[in-house]
Amino acid sequence: MKQDMILILDLGSEENPKIAREIRAMGVYTEIHPHDITAGQLAALPGVKGIILNGGPNRVIDGVEIDAGEAVYGSGLPILCADHKGEPALPADDADREAVLRDFVFGQCHAEANWNMDNFIADQIELIRRQVGDKKVLLALSGGVDSSVVAALLIKAIGKQLTCVHVNHGLLRKGEPEQVVQVFRDEMDANLIYVDAVDRFLDKLAGVADPERKRKIIGAEFIRVFEEEARKLEGIDFLAQGTIYPDIIESGTKTVKAVKSHHNVGGLPEDLNFELVEPLKMLFKDEVRACGKALGLPDNMVYRQPFPGPGLGVRCLGAITRDRLEAVRESDAILREEFAKNGLEGKVWQYFTAIPDLKSVGVRDNKRADEWCVIIRAVNTVDAMTATVENVPFDLLQHITARITGEVAGVNRVLFDLTPKPTGTIEWE
């Protein structure tokens, strides 16, 4: 359906994503575009009701202060200048800021609050069907939030024209490969290819202690496995990816320095020659989760914690061994189970266990036992740039310690990481 849009033009502010999210929360669609948008580009955007010019610390480029052009100022659309040409910025107070935005969006632009998840899903289904036609789509389905929501959306749009490939590299959390098969093959009747590549990955990683080398091996091997599976299939014209809006924003614009490059699926060989399908590329993470809920995915998949691309490979610290990897998996499962039982699931942003390549002396069955130690990490953050440590009740930590040392083979100590970010990072590797 036709929806109204408020356009945010990037004049160097780091607040653009926050403003966009606030307006979307009002039920009005927003997009962030470069400051030098042309008249043709502006005319091609459907339903634009108003423009926000949002300046900030990156507004000066090569000594010149940038500004929007005549295409914007001569558009006849209502314009809100935020921190622009000496005019007042949007209020710092959230309530005051919301009042200013609400007055602009509804009072001056007369936008309708007609953007919601049901409409988004309906629009995307129509767009996917128009793009794909009767052709076939391939998706690397990791089981993470983004790829799972893309899969559910594509199944709804094109059904059996989608083929999902789930590569089990042995570095997923307990129960995750099984859940992918159950949800997508058994419950959603998807075309799912399950690849058991555990031995292949762990053999490649044997003896490799450097974290960056581990990451590169895992990424490169994933591409190889996925490429092998793709070449077995005939008639695939499209590759679906779970690109989301922060990926695009973080990859940088003319005025915002790139935070990091995003290569979903790790950068596949060009000779596979697929056209991309990226139905979530304009959604923020919380909107992706809302989309997953609306599509009927289970909560423990939709609200899955942030999980590093190399998986447990960067939580089995140093050179990965199978026994220590299994101890990481089992101790992590105990931690997640106990946090869920005690009301911390959803309250704490991220929590996990890690096991260093280090043994200490302990006592088991009245005998000396040289065994591993488990490190518990539990942190809260807004933007992952800084993080604070969750104050986990001491009696709960004691209970978790008793369970891990009693139930996980080869572990005789449990440590709790008290380090905020900075100086520590969230992950250990």
Side-chain angles (χ1 to χ4, degrees), residues 160-350:
K160 295 288 190 179
Q161 290 169 245
L162 172 70
T163 298
C164 301
V165 176
H166 177 63
V167 178
N168 182 4
H169 48 31
L171 305 169
L172 295 171
R173 289 176 288 204
K174 187 173 182 177
E176 286 183 335
E178 294 83 358
Q179 186 187 34
V180 169
V181 172
Q182 180 193 336
V183 169
F184 290 100
R185 181 185 287 167
D186 301 343
E187 296 174 15
M188 293 191 168
D189 194 30
N191 280 330
L192 176 67
I193 297 170
Y194 173 84
V195 184
D196 183 348
V198 175
D199 289 343
R200 179 171 173 169
F201 275 82
L202 296 186
D203 288 349
K204 288 266 183 187
L205 289 163
V208 178
D210 179 70
E212 279 308 304
R213 273 197 65 211
K214 287 199 289 188
R215 278 187 166 83
K216 286 177 180 170
I217 289 168
I218 293 164
E221 198 61 23
F222 176 85
I223 293 167
R224 275 192 283 271
V225 174
F226 186 78
E227 182 187 4
E228 286 168 18
E229 295 303 321
R231 294 196 190 285
K232 293 176 190 174
L233 302 169
E234 293 183 359
I236 303 284
D237 290 287
F238 295 90
L239 177 71
Q241 289 193 157
T243 308
I244 66 174
Y245 209 19
D247 297 343
I248 295 169
I249 295 169
E250 285 187 352
S251 291
T253 65
K254 294 180 180 73
T255 52
V256 178
K257 296 186 180 81
V259 176
K260 54 185 173 181
S261 298
H262 286 267
H263 303 285
N264 295 353
V265 193
L268 291 167
E270 288 182 10
D271 61 351
L272 287 179
N273 203 26
F274 293 134
E275 184 181 331
L276 288 180
V277 179
E278 298 176 300
L280 306 182
K281 68 181 179 182
M282 301 311 292
L283 293 188
F284 291 102
K285 192 72 172 191
D286 58 326
E287 295 167 337
V288 174
R289 295 187 197 280
C291 185
K293 282 287 289 178
L295 289 164
L297 289 175
D299 280 2
N300 59 355
M301 188 173 270
V302 169
Y303 297 108
R304 183 181 189 254
Q305 283 189 55
F307 193 51
L312 299 181
V314 291
R315 294 178 182 171
C316 187
L317 309 178
I320 297 170
T321 59
R322 291 181 187 239
D323 57 346
R324 203 153 42 87
L325 179 61
E326 200 53 35
V328 173
R329 198 180 339 264
E330 291 298 324
S331 59
D332 177 79
I334 289 170
L335 180 69
R336 287 191 289 141
E337 183 185 324
E338 290 298 332
F339 268 40
K341 277 185 194 172
N342 289 275
L344 294 175
E345 185 180 52
K347 177 178 178 282
V348 184
W349 185 76
Q350 191 171 13

